[in-house]
Amino acid sequence: MSRSVRRAGVLLNYGSLVLMLVFFYAAKQTHANEFLIISVLALIVTIASCLYVHGKTGLWRLVHTNIENLDERETQVVHISLRRSYSAFSILCLLVILASELIEEYMSGTINISLLPAFACLLYLAHTLPSSLIAWTEREV
């Protein structure tokens, strides 16, 4: 699979994840079934693109393999992707917590937002971000 196809898959995967989250929260606030349907469709696209980008390429397995089973080059690539992705992930988690606190502080009573769906997306992100970085940066996988 070419790098441009992998990059498009990563963009589709995370784009559909964000859309799923946005439409889920929109459905919860407005009680509109159309938003919920779009959210479910975005979830299906997220799952399909995850299987395609992370499963078909073997990147999921590479990132989640025991370090003793990797050669020197693979170890280096995985180490770099883990370091970069978890740095970005930590910042993103802090921003989500900050946004939650700001919403609670300044919109108390007007908006009731559960962070459980956002945390589920963050958990997904924690597992896929390292392999997404490899898919994005490496010429061949």
Side-chain angles (χ1 to χ4, degrees):
M1 181 181 308
S2 71
R3 183 166 45 174
S4 60
V5 171
R6 291 191 318 262
R7 285 179 173 179
V10 168
L11 290 174
L12 178 65
N13 185 251
Y14 290 137
S16 60
L17 183 69
V18 169
L19 282 177
M20 177 196 64
L21 201 56
V22 166
F23 281 107
F24 175 81
Y25 282 123
K28 189 169 178 166
Q29 290 298 318
T30 64
H31 304 290
N33 288 335
E34 296 83 13
F35 289 148
L36 190 58
I37 292 169
I38 294 171
S39 180
V40 170
L41 292 174
L43 174 63
I44 293 168
V45 172
T46 302
I47 292 169
S49 61
C50 177
L51 292 174
Y52 185 73
V53 171
H54 303 286
K56 187 175 181 184
T57 60
L59 290 172
W60 176 273
R61 186 173 45 257
L62 175 68
V63 171
H64 291 85
T65 296
N66 193 336
I67 197 80
E68 288 112 22
N69 298 332
L70 300 175
D71 65 27
E72 189 174 320
R73 181 190 167 281
E74 291 171 333
T75 301
Q76 185 72 15
V77 167
V78 169
H79 173 71
I80 290 169
S81 72
L82 287 170
R83 189 183 76 228
R84 289 178 180 168
S85 64
Y86 289 135
S87 295
F89 178 76
S90 299
I91 293 168
L92 184 62
C93 285
L94 291 173
L95 288 173
V96 167
I97 293 168
L98 176 64
S100 168
E101 288 301 312
L102 289 173
I103 289 170
E104 179 68 29
E105 181 72 25
Y106 293 107
M107 297 184 174
S108 180
T110 58
I111 296 179
N112 185 14
I113 296 179
S114 169
L115 287 180
L116 191 58
F119 286 138
C121 289
L122 286 172
L123 180 63
Y124 172 78
L125 186 66
H127 282 283
T128 59
L129 195 54
S131 57
S132 292
L133 281 174
I134 294 172
W136 193 270
T137 58
E138 292 297 308
R139 289 184 190 264
E140 292 183 24
V141 293

